[in-house]
Amino acid sequence: MRKANITSAAKLLRPSSSGSHRLPTPKSFSPQRLPTLTTSQTYTSRPPSTCPAPPPGARRSYSTPSPPLSKTALYDLHVSSGGKMVPFAGYSMPVQYSDLSVGDSHRWTRTHASLFDVGHMVQHMLSGPGAQALLERMTPAGLTQLEPSHSTLSCLLNEAGGIVDDCVITRIGPERFYLVTNAACREKDLGYIQAEKEKMAGMGEVEWEVMDGQGLVALQGPRSAEVLGEALARVEEVDLKKLYFGQCKEASVKLADGRRSEKVLISRAGYTGEDGFEVSIPEAETVEVVRALLRIGGEDRLRWAGLGARDSLRLEAGMCLYGHDLDDTTSPVEAGLSWVVGKGRKTGGGFHGADVVLRQLKPKKEGGGVERRRVGFTIEGAPAREGAEVVSEEGQVIGKITSGCPSPTLSKNIAMGYIKSGFNKSGTKVGVVVRGKKRAAQVTKMPFVASRYWKQEAGTAPA
C-alpha cells in the first residue's frame, strides 16, 4: 500500500561488519480529539510545485530545482538517532539507521520489535450522512457489515476498475470513517475524492478533513504488544490480548514527565506480516509519545527501522507497493485482491468499475477471468529487479517482475509480479531475465514468510 521510488532493499541487504546479513487501521477514537481543518478549501494540501512546465517541444532543464521535501514531526528525532534520510513520496524519510544494517533491521523486526515512522501517509476523516455512500462509490468495500472500531483494506477504483490507490477504511461511528491513503498518491487522491464528493452533492452531506500534521507510527514485531502494554497510561483503557488484527481502540500513553498523553488511536495492523500496531497521534504530542515508546521499549527490545527494512518485510509478507505492484491499469482481481470486494457488493455493485471487476470475478466459462495475475516467484542466482521479464521454458515473454529482493529470512531471492493466466499455478517453472541472462525461477505462493497476525480464531494468535 505504498508508492514511490526508494533505494532498492536488495542493494541495501549487505552483510554487516559482524558478518551477519543483515488494510487494516484504527478506529474507536473520540472525534472531538481529532484536529479539524478550518480552511476555505475542502481539503488542505501541501503547496504545489512552483516549477513551471516547459513549453511544448522544449527540453526540461535538469538544473530546475525540485520542490522542497516535507518532513514528518519526527524528522529531528530520526537525524539524532542516526537515520539516513532519503527522498520518498515528497518527504525526507529514513531508509535505515546507523545501529543496524537493513538486513539486521529486517531480522530484528521478525524477532523483537521495530518502530517505523509512517507519518507521511495521508490520514482523512469523512463524516456525515453521505460518508458511507461516498466511500462505497469509490471502493468495493462492504461497509454495511463493517462494525465500529473495525477496519478493512480496500482500493479506490476508477471507472475501468483500475486501482487509483489502495487504502484502509475504519468505521469510527455510524456516519464517521477514518481513511488512510498513500503519500505518493496524495495529490491524485485528493483530486479524486474531491471530484467524487462534488458528484454526490445533494445525496447526503459529507464533511471531509485531511489530518495534516497528525502523527502515525507503526510498532511491529513479536514484542510489540509487550512494549505497548507497558507504555499504556491506564491498562484498563484497552486489553491488548482482546484487541485483534483489524480492530482499534483509543488510549493514552505514559509520557516521560509522568503525564498521560492525549488519546491516541491504536490499531492492530501493519505492513510487515508480524503482529503489531499503527498508532495515530495528535500532532502536538507525536514526539513525546514516540520518545516514551522508545524509552519504555529499550534498545534490547525496540529499535528504529526505515524504508529499506520495511520494503523487504512487506515483500516477504506478500504485500503490494502502490506504483510498483499496483497502478491505475490494474484491477483488484488481477492483483489477487478479489477479497476486497464485499460480499454484498458482488451482487449489488454500485462502485466504480463494478462492471469490469464483477465480470472478472466470474468463471472463465461464463466469460469471466483475467489475462494476467499477480504471483510470487523464487529465483536462482542474482535477484530480479522491477521490470525484469518473466519467460516460459520455451522463451516466450509471459510476465514482468514488479518487486524483488533477497529475502533475509529465507536466504533466497524472492519477487512478485504479473504472469499470463495459465502459468500462475504454484510450482510452475519459468525463467526470469536478470542482466540479460535467463535465471531459473518458480511460481510460488505468497506470503513467502507466514504471517503472525493476532487473530481471534483459535490457534492464530501468538503466545
Side-chain angles (χ1 to χ4, degrees), residues 154-166:
S154 193
C155 300
L156 302 176
L157 298 179
N158 58 34
E159 295 286 359
I163 300 173
V164 175
D165 197 4
D166 55 314

Side-chain angles (χ1 to χ4, degrees), residues 4 11 56 88 110 134 172 211 247 291 348 397 411 424 435:
K11 294 180 181 179
F88 180 78
R110 292 270 184 247
L134 174 61
I172 302 298
M211 301 158 64
Q247 298 180 358
R291 285 189 183 278
V397 176
S411 299
N424 55 293
R435 300 172 190 167

Side-chain angles (χ1 to χ4, degrees), residues 5-13 95 102 308 311 384-386 404-406:
N5 292 320
I6 63 172
T7 303
S8 169
K11 294 180 181 179
L12 295 167
L13 295 170
V95 69
V102 171
D311 193 45
R385 312 296 185 187
E386 179 180 2
C405 74

Side-chain angles (χ1 to χ4, degrees), residues 31-328:
Q32 65 270 24
R33 295 187 182 277
L34 294 170
T36 300
L37 303 182
T38 54
T39 71
S40 58
Q41 296 181 318
T42 305
Y43 60 82
T44 298
S45 166
R46 293 194 310 274
S49 168
T50 56
C51 299
R59 289 186 177 182
R60 182 182 295 276
S61 170
Y62 287 99
S63 63
T64 301
S66 299
L69 294 174
S70 297
K71 299 176 181 178
T72 71
L74 299 173
Y75 176 86
D76 291 339
L77 191 53
H78 294 313
V79 173
S80 65
S81 300
K84 178 182 177 182
M85 311 304 288
V86 300
F88 180 78
Y91 281 79
S92 180
M93 298 293 291
V95 69
Q96 67 179 107
Y97 294 83
S98 58
D99 62 331
L100 293 173
S101 69
V102 171
D104 287 334
S105 181
H106 176 115
R107 278 186 287 273
W108 180 274
T109 308
R110 292 270 184 247
T111 56
H112 296 76
S114 292
L115 193 65
F116 300 81
D117 180 7
V118 288
H120 60 304
M121 303 291 286
V122 187
Q123 301 177 71
H124 314 246
M125 188 64 65
L126 295 108
S127 56
Q132 179 170 321
L134 174 61
L135 287 168
E136 289 192 327
R137 174 187 174 93
M138 299 187 296
T139 77
L143 299 182
T144 300
Q145 292 75 40
L146 188 65
E147 299 177 10
S149 301
H150 286 66
S151 343
T152 183
L153 177 65
S154 193
C155 300
L156 302 176
L157 298 179
N158 58 34
E159 295 286 359
I163 300 173
V164 175
D165 197 4
D166 55 314
C167 61
V168 177
I169 305 171
T170 301
R171 183 184 286 278
I172 302 298
E175 296 181 348
R176 194 167 178 82
F177 296 86
Y178 171 62
L179 172 71
V180 180
T181 56
N182 285 304
C185 295
R186 178 187 173 100
E187 301 307 326
K188 178 178 73 167
D189 290 349
L190 294 181
Y192 171 87
I193 296 171
Q194 175 66 18
E196 294 305 318
K197 182 173 178 291
E198 291 175 355
K199 291 176 185 176
M200 293 195 66
M203 300 175 64
E205 182 182 352
V206 179
E207 182 181 349
W208 173 29
E209 304 168 71
V210 176
M211 301 158 64
D212 282 333
Q214 182 89 351
L216 188 63
V217 294
L219 176 61
Q220 300 285 294
R223 304 195 72 175
S224 58
E226 177 186 329
V227 171
L228 183 58
E230 293 175 20
L232 295 175
R234 300 175 63 184
V235 179
E236 64 271 19
E237 286 185 325
V238 54
D239 183 350
L240 295 181
K241 290 184 178 180
K242 295 182 180 180
L243 186 71
Y244 301 109
F245 182 75
Q247 298 180 358
C248 320
K249 186 72 174 177
E250 186 185 45
S252 298
V253 172
K254 292 183 290 191
L255 301 180
D257 59 5
R259 292 182 298 113
R260 292 202 306 265
S261 73
E262 291 295 312
K263 297 289 187 176
V264 300
L265 183 61
I266 297 171
S267 172
R268 201 126 200 181
Y271 194 49
T272 64
E274 294 293 329
D275 180 30
F277 307 86
E278 292 187 356
V279 185
S280 182
I281 314 167
E283 180 178 9
E285 291 188 330
T286 299
V287 174
E288 287 184 278
V289 168
V290 168
R291 285 189 183 278
L293 290 172
L294 292 169
R295 174 179 55 81
I296 291 168
E299 290 190 353
D300 61 326
R301 294 189 296 179
L302 178 63
R303 302 282 188 95
W304 277 116
L307 296 170
R310 190 164 179 254
D311 193 45
S312 55
L313 286 161
R314 69 91 189 170
L315 183 53
E316 286 188 346
M319 295 183 176
C320 299
L321 178 65
Y322 194 89
H324 300 258
D325 313 303
L326 303 174
D327 60 29
D328 298 271

